[in-house]
Amino acid sequence: MTASSAPSTAPGFFDRLRAFYLRSDAAKGYVLLSPVMITMVILLAAPLILLVVYSFWTQVGLQVDTTFTTDRYNDVLGKQSYHDIFWRTIGTSSLVTLVTVGLAYPMAYYVAFGVKKYKFVWLILLTIPFWTSYLLRAFAWKVILGFNGVINSGLMTLGVIQEPLEFLLYNQTAVVITLAHAYAAFAILPIYVSLEKIDRTLLEAAADLGDGAWARFWRVTFPLSLPGVIGASLLIFVPTTGDYVTPQLVGGPTGQMIAYSIQVLFLKVGDWPLGAALALSSMAAVGILVMLFVTAMQLAVRQIR
Amino acid sequence: MTKPTRAAKRMGDPGGFLAIFALAYLLFLYVPVLFLPVFSFNDSIFVTFPLKGFTTKWYEQAFADQDMLRALTASLQVGAIASVTATILGLLGAKAVTRYRMPGQNVVTGLIMMPLFIPEIMLGIALLILVNTLFIPLGLFTITIGHIMLCTPFAMAVLTSRLDGFDKSLEEASMDLGESPWMTFWRVTFPLVAPGIISSMLLSFIVSFDEFLLSFFLQGQQPTLPVYIWSQLRFPNKLPGVLALGAVILIVSCILVVIAEWVRQIGTDERKVGVA
Amino acid sequence: MADNIIRIENVTKQFAGGVKAVDSANFNIERGEFFSLLGPSGCGKTTLLRMIAGFEFPTDGEIYIDGQASALIPSYKRPTNMVFQSYAIFPHLNVFDNIAYGLRKDRLSRRELKRRVDEALAMIHLEGFGARRGDQLSGGQRQRVALARALIKRPKVLLLDEPLGALDKKLREEMQIELRELQKNVGITFVFVTHDQEEALSMSDRIAVMGKGVVLQIAPPKELYEAPNSVEVATFIGNINLIDATVRSVAGNEVTLDGPGFGQFRAPAIDGLKTGQKLTAAIRPEKLSLTASRPGANYVEGTIKASAYLGDRSHHHVHVKGRPTPVAVAAQNMDRSMTIGIDPSKPVYVTWDPRSLILLKS
């Protein structure tokens, strides 16, 4: 080659930068990752940090006093009605989680182990509700459970009852039913994935070592599907503790949950610092409960030998 | 032995009882929702049995409603922008995490996936505080950025699973044969990832189109369709119209989901053959 | 000065986590030669190849391709092309479009493009396969398509990353001959990565043996086998008997050594030997022979512990008193009556020509 292509003696700054970029996987990776990273920092991390900051301020009329104070948390902790609605929320969400996971496990098991043909069709059938409008599904239950709703009018038409059943709508049971239905797909998919991943020869090995069908399930299948069960529980429990739509539509006065109180503080009363403190303290409490739950589950399953 | 015995059955096979349970479960999933289309054709303002008679007037009424049409337009706009943006962001992000190893990668993916694990009300109030702090007026713009944030983890998840196992030597082969990274993307990566991209856009669009709570907190003068429907629920005489509208939305969503999942599925089969 | 198409100067590649995949490699590849990088998996040979291709970049040092420093040149601007281990046949394109892939941006006329691709298809004996999709091809056909796709770019250097690894034995042997022929015909420099020593020996002009990121020896196949420069190379290429020996006396071209089980024996001298020095003497199994009667000189006595009959030859493990490991002997089966078999009660004698011994300093 000609002399011009001989190695240059002093590489410039940009050459060195370019060499570093070409050499570094991390640099290339972060260049690609930066758009989504920056977006999520601005639209998720920053707002959550602002939320925390707000919870240490004070609402004075239409203004916010930005002096640091923990009074909002004291307000939240000192108010009995917040305690009541928080624990009711936890109760409702726990019940929903239990019902949903309990129903979803056999379903997921059936698709993973029982379905031989058309597994894909089953999976699509179980995923569709996951993607379709949550609002409309909650609304459907209002229509079904209502005083003049599908169940009452149906039963009356059939002559089973004379008067509409009042206990169907506007209470905690209605909330649990609606949420269990709404979150069904959240439970099935994680459990299905963890069941499908189980190596079938493990079951053969268990059978070979003398385990019957139930023992195989309890000693092999169930412990191995636990990550799916825990994942499903979290995907139901955490979002439902913040649910707003369902209690509003079918909950009535006794079915209200914490999201309603937060919404009132933000959109009606206009006390954002108090709303922020309420939201954060309930989420922190939920987080602690979740950690306790996960630890307890893992410890419990470790007892299975 | 001529008949297959219990032992010959596949390991873990649950047998017939679970099949009945599974069918019952499907009924539980679908029947409640089916009441919406059923009653949307019922010639009565009340949603009660017995059914009165067949009518399409609720559909006519719903689609003659100018407010509804404006809300629909708004939702389509927001959904289109949010799904395309989330998919582009998700594609770049998924490419980065599947192709390169980076320090701090788990923290970043954790942040991106966080909206899936946080109650929407938290996201709603946090974003409300952000736009308020930045003096951004509430409106379709604020709803759109909220939806971008919400859709991105879905897009990222769909595309990461698509790109996972993507044979990187295909891209290297293209670069080796003289194509720049940009042309390599268009000539190799894009065609092979296209099913994932379509799937991601459709699913993100559905998430945005159905989204209520974020829009509820971030809305200005112009509501999106779910917010509009919410406002109509207060008026009993609007109920049949909402049923009709809801039936249409559900059916269109179902079709889109089936397409999205189907595209994703055939795509993966093809890819597996190609790389084998 | 030799015409070096590739110069590798002090190249080191360190991955995140501190592992040195390649440690100060320093050698040249001549224009037009068939050059192999040979070593066990994880020895850094593929990393070195990928650095030449521009998929990895050296942490230190420089690679010159046709005289040009390559640190700032991305893979798509290098005059090298690669045949990938997985072949990397684009699954969304048919054979024609796969082969034409690298020509599209040259904006050739349709007729010229077709001529070039047809020519390439003829070269790899796949005429009429243009419309097939990648997944309709057998392993050998995919390998040929990958080859044609790279060669059609008329690269200055063709890089091959274990291209025959996925093929079965018979096809692999056919392809070895075909590849060698092809290389002679096109006259392009081939850099060939393999872990298969026979493959490297039969095909290459020169071989670089690598181990743990270090280039151990670069030599033509015969030299590598007959005159390895280290114990690592000697043991990696073929089988060899090692004797921990001590120098007793040096006399001109000949040295007398002392080793466990072997007693005093003679070997050709190498430079810089001193009396009392410890080194390793090595001899290939096929350079040893067995006899039932005691020879005059250059022998050890032992008993056969194990034998493997391989048709054309037999491998024997001979136990020699004082030696921890048995001596391996490969004997041609020259007559049909097997005169020497396993009989622990009878002594056998292993003999050799002293010129066959190799001395290796540690």
Side-chain angles (χ1 to χ4, degrees):
Chain A
M1 288 302 276
T2 54
S4 65
S5 63
S8 57
T9 42
F13 172 73
F14 287 104
D15 278 357
R16 269 181 295 155
L17 195 68
R18 191 172 159 72
F20 169 75
Y21 175 77
L22 285 173
R23 201 177 292 155
S24 166
D25 262 12
K28 281 182 259 189
Y30 269 111
V31 166
L32 279 176
L33 196 57
S34 54
V36 64
M37 192 171 75
I38 292 165
T39 306
M40 293 313 263
V41 165
I42 295 173
L43 296 183
L44 181 63
L48 289 176
I49 291 166
L50 275 174
L51 186 68
V52 174
V53 171
Y54 252 79
S55 71
F56 292 109
W57 289 349
T58 311
Q59 189 84 33
V60 184
L62 291 174
Q63 300 294 313
V64 176
D65 174 7
T66 59
T67 323
F68 177 87
T69 169
T70 54
D71 286 353
R72 298 293 81 69
Y73 287 95
N74 292 331
D75 293 348
V76 169
L77 295 176
K79 201 165 169 189
Q80 189 55 41
S81 64
Y82 288 149
H83 285 260
D84 294 345
I85 201 166
F86 173 76
W87 287 113
R88 194 192 303 145
T89 301
I90 295 299
T92 307
S93 290
S94 308
L95 211 53
V96 170
T97 308
L98 200 67
V99 170
T100 315
V101 172
L103 289 176
Y105 197 99
M107 184 70 227
Y109 188 92
Y110 177 73
V111 179
F113 287 90
V115 178
K116 289 162 191 83
K117 279 187 197 168
Y118 309 119
K119 195 174 266 196
F120 174 60
V121 175
W122 275 92
L123 283 177
I124 286 204
L125 279 175
L126 295 172
T127 352
I128 287 173
F130 176 89
W131 297 108
T132 49
S133 172
Y134 165 57
L135 179 64
L136 290 173
R137 277 179 293 142
F139 169 62
W141 280 101
K142 185 185 169 78
V143 168
I144 292 165
L145 299 170
F147 187 74
N148 281 317
V150 172
I151 292 183
N152 274 332
S153 62
L155 291 177
M156 277 159 68
T157 310
L158 293 172
V160 179
I161 53 171
Q162 304 305 314
E163 293 287 307
L165 304 169
E166 289 188 22
F167 62 83
L168 287 178
L169 195 61
Y170 300 130
N171 57 32
Q172 202 184 13
T173 315
V175 175
V176 172
I177 294 175
T178 307
L179 284 177
H181 180 252
Y183 280 85
F186 283 86
I188 290 175
L189 290 179
I191 299 174
Y192 167 78
V193 169
S194 66
L195 283 170
E196 187 65 35
K197 266 198 298 201
I198 296 175
D199 184 352
R200 299 305 192 260
T201 54
L202 293 178
L203 296 175
E204 291 174 354
D208 185 56
L209 296 168
D211 269 355
W214 281 106
R216 282 201 299 271
F217 172 76
W218 181 241
R219 295 179 65 192
V220 180
T221 313
F222 181 70
L224 287 174
S225 66
L226 198 72
V229 173
I230 291 177
S233 305
L234 297 190
L235 276 173
I236 298 164
F237 184 75
V238 178
T240 50
T241 54
D243 196 73
Y244 174 78
V245 169
T246 298
Q248 284 301 103
L249 283 179
V250 302
T254 60
Q256 281 310 324
M257 290 164 74
I258 198 84
Y260 174 71
S261 313
I262 298 171
Q263 186 260 338
V264 167
L265 285 173
F266 267 88
L267 299 186
K268 297 221 171 90
V269 178
D271 190 343
W272 290 14
L274 186 60
L278 178 61
L280 286 169
S281 41
S282 45
M283 271 308 107
V286 166
I288 292 166
L289 289 173
V290 161
M291 275 191 281
L292 289 176
F293 164 77
V294 172
T295 316
M297 281 293 270
Q298 283 168 340
L299 284 179
V301 163
R302 227 171 275 167
Q303 302 309 312
I304 303 174
R305 292 285 147 95
Chain B
M1 280 186 289
T2 48
K3 268 177 27 175
T5 60
R6 274 190 75 81
K9 241 170 51 166
R10 215 172 52 154
M11 276 296 151
D13 195 323
F17 173 72
L18 260 194
I20 296 164
F21 175 87
L23 284 174
Y25 194 95
L26 276 189
L27 289 179
F28 165 68
L29 272 188
Y30 281 90
V31 169
V33 181
L34 287 180
F35 284 115
L36 296 186
V38 168
F39 280 97
S40 69
F41 292 109
N42 187 26
D43 191 4
S44 162
I45 194 134
F46 301 110
V47 187
T48 53
F49 279 115
L51 296 170
K52 291 290 190 308
F54 184 84
T55 178
T56 55
K57 70 177 173 194
W58 306 123
Y59 286 86
E60 288 152 26
Q61 188 189 338
F63 284 91
D65 181 346
Q66 289 305 309
D67 288 342
M68 192 290 281
L69 290 176
R70 269 193 296 275
L72 175 66
T73 315
S75 270
L76 291 174
Q77 280 173 354
V78 171
I81 297 171
S83 60
V84 170
T85 313
T87 300
I88 292 171
L89 292 174
L91 183 62
L92 294 173
K95 187 103 184 77
V97 297
T98 53
R99 178 76 162 73
Y100 300 107
R101 278 195 315 175
M102 297 158 278
Q105 186 177 328
N106 289 343
V107 178
V108 180
T109 28
L111 174 72
I112 296 168
M113 290 297 158
M114 216 154 80
L116 293 177
F117 300 92
I118 297 183
E120 258 185 66
I121 184 129
M122 298 286 290
L123 303 173
I125 56 175
L127 272 170
L128 183 61
I129 291 179
L130 177 83
V131 298
N132 183 65
T133 308
L134 299 175
F135 302 107
I136 301 170
L138 292 170
L140 287 182
F141 174 75
T142 50
I143 293 178
T144 307
I145 60 169
H147 284 193
I148 289 172
M149 184 268 288
L150 193 67
C151 292
T152 299
F154 288 98
M156 182 94 175
V158 169
L159 290 162
T160 304
S161 77
R162 176 79 205 179
L163 282 169
D164 214 21
F166 185 94
D167 185 1
K168 77 171 178 181
S169 64
L170 291 175
E171 286 167 336
E172 288 178 349
S174 168
M175 303 240 262
D176 186 64
L177 294 165
E179 288 295 11
S180 62
W182 175 244
M183 283 307 291
T184 294
F185 175 80
W186 285 114
R187 291 189 65 188
V188 176
T189 320
F190 183 75
L192 290 172
V193 181
I197 293 173
I198 293 168
S199 188
S200 158
M201 287 217 266
L202 286 175
L203 295 177
S204 301
F205 181 81
I206 294 167
V207 168
S208 161
F209 193 77
D210 289 341
E211 203 291 321
F212 166 71
L213 201 57
L214 274 185
S215 315
F216 183 60
F217 275 90
L218 298 171
Q219 64 176 317
Q221 298 302 312
Q222 175 61 58
T224 58
L225 198 55
V227 176
Y228 171 78
I229 290 174
W230 181 259
S231 68
Q232 299 301 294
L233 293 180
R234 271 177 291 161
F235 311 112
N237 60 330
K238 293 286 182 76
L239 206 57
V242 174
L243 285 174
L245 196 54
V248 173
I249 294 173
L250 284 175
I251 286 161
V252 173
S253 303
C254 283
I255 294 170
L256 290 185
V257 173
V258 172
I259 294 174
E261 293 289 324
W262 179 66
V263 167
R264 197 148 66 127
Q265 205 72 16
I266 44 163
T268 40
D269 291 349
E270 206 171 85
R271 184 190 62 179
K272 272 179 195 137
V273 173
V275 172
Chain C
M1 189 181 116
D3 185 8
N4 292 325
I5 185 94
I6 289 176
R7 273 166 39 221
I8 292 172
E9 292 189 355
N10 287 316
V11 167
T12 296
K13 174 71 185 181
Q14 195 160 10
F15 283 113
V19 186
K20 272 189 182 168
V22 175
D23 194 355
S24 32
N26 232 326
F27 62 90
N28 299 329
I29 297 173
E30 284 170 27
R31 196 183 298 274
E33 82 174 323
F34 195 119
F35 189 91
S36 289
L37 290 165
L38 174 65
S41 57
C43 71
K45 57 191 190 299
T46 296
T47 306
L48 198 50
L49 191 79
R50 288 170 59 80
M51 284 194 281
I52 300 173
F55 301 133
E56 312 276 358
F57 289 83
T59 325
D60 217 347
E62 183 63 281
I63 295 174
Y64 297 92
I65 301 171
D66 208 6
Q68 209 163 3
S70 66
L72 296 176
I73 305 176
S75 58
Y76 52 93
K77 289 185 181 155
R78 296 190 183 199
T80 60
N81 285 113
M82 180 134 154
V83 175
F84 289 80
Q85 188 171 14
S86 64
Y87 307 140
I89 303 295
F90 300 121
H92 58 301
L93 302 177
N94 63 21
V95 169
F96 186 97
D97 287 329
N98 259 287
I99 294 178
Y101 188 94
L103 297 180
R104 293 285 181 197
K105 60 185 248 171
D106 296 350
R107 306 245 171 265
L108 302 174
S109 70
R110 183 177 299 206
R111 178 190 299 241
E112 172 69 3
L113 186 76
K114 185 165 170 3
R115 193 188 63 74
R116 293 270 299 271
V117 175
D118 283 345
E119 199 179 278
L121 281 168
M123 176 186 75
I124 56 167
H125 313 301
L126 283 179
E127 293 98 335
F129 277 68
R132 294 269 185 107
R133 287 179 66 92
D135 48 20
Q136 295 171 314
L137 299 176
S138 70
Q141 289 166 338
R142 294 160 72 82
Q143 196 265 340
R144 286 158 200 256
V145 173
L147 195 62
R149 185 178 69 180
L151 281 175
I152 204 168
K153 291 280 291 173
R154 294 171 185 161
K156 288 178 179 164
V157 181
L158 185 73
L159 309 169
L160 302 103
D161 185 7
E162 307 238 9
L164 308 179
L167 307 181
D168 61 47
K169 191 166 185 289
K170 196 153 180 292
L171 192 55
R172 195 160 65 220
E173 282 166 3
E174 278 172 34
M175 284 307 298
Q176 285 173 7
I177 295 166
E178 222 173 287
L179 261 184
R180 183 73 234 227
E181 286 295 305
L182 188 70
Q183 195 263 338
K184 278 189 187 136
N185 292 340
V186 296
I188 292 173
T189 311
F190 277 30
V191 181
F192 187 91
V193 160
T194 181
H195 66 271
D196 182 333
Q197 35 158 317
E198 273 184 38
E199 192 167 285
L201 291 175
S202 71
M203 296 170 81
S204 320
D205 293 317
R206 284 195 307 152
I207 300 169
V209 181
M210 291 184 71
K212 292 180 186 149
V214 179
V215 178
L216 300 168
Q217 185 173 7
I218 299 174
K222 190 176 167 198
E223 189 183 329
L224 212 53
Y225 187 81
E226 303 293 353
N229 67 355
S230 63
V231 174
E232 288 102 317
V233 175
T235 47
F236 183 70
I237 313 268
N239 294 318
I240 201 154
N241 293 296
L242 299 176
I243 309 158
D244 296 320
T246 314
V247 177
R248 286 289 164 236
S249 62
V250 188
N253 290 337
E254 202 168 74
V255 57
T256 307
L257 305 112
D258 192 4
F262 278 75
Q264 299 243 334
F265 61 95
R266 292 177 296 142
I270 52 172
D271 290 341
L273 286 181
K274 292 191 292 277
T275 306
Q277 186 180 354
K278 304 239 183 250
L279 43 65
T280 305
I283 188 159
R284 300 273 180 201
E286 76 277 4
K287 309 246 173 357
L288 298 170
S289 50
L290 289 178
T291 59
S293 55
R294 187 188 297 262
N298 305 321
Y299 70 92
V300 286
E301 186 185 323
T303 50
I304 296 182
K305 279 184 65 183
S307 284
Y309 173 71
L310 300 173
D312 59 337
R313 63 195 193 284
S314 292
H315 286 175
H316 306 283
H317 278 182
V318 179
H319 178 70
V320 174
K321 214 179 236 172
R323 229 182 106 79
T325 51
V327 175
V329 179
Q332 289 294 317
N333 294 328
M334 305 232 264
D335 58 61
R336 292 173 64 193
S337 58
M338 303 294 298
T339 43
I340 296 176
I342 308 177
D343 188 350
S345 63
K346 280 192 191 150
V348 292
Y349 301 91
V350 181
T351 70
W352 60 88
D353 180 341
R355 285 172 300 177
S356 305
L357 275 156
I358 308 159
L359 296 187
L360 303 166
K361 291 187 202 173
S362 9

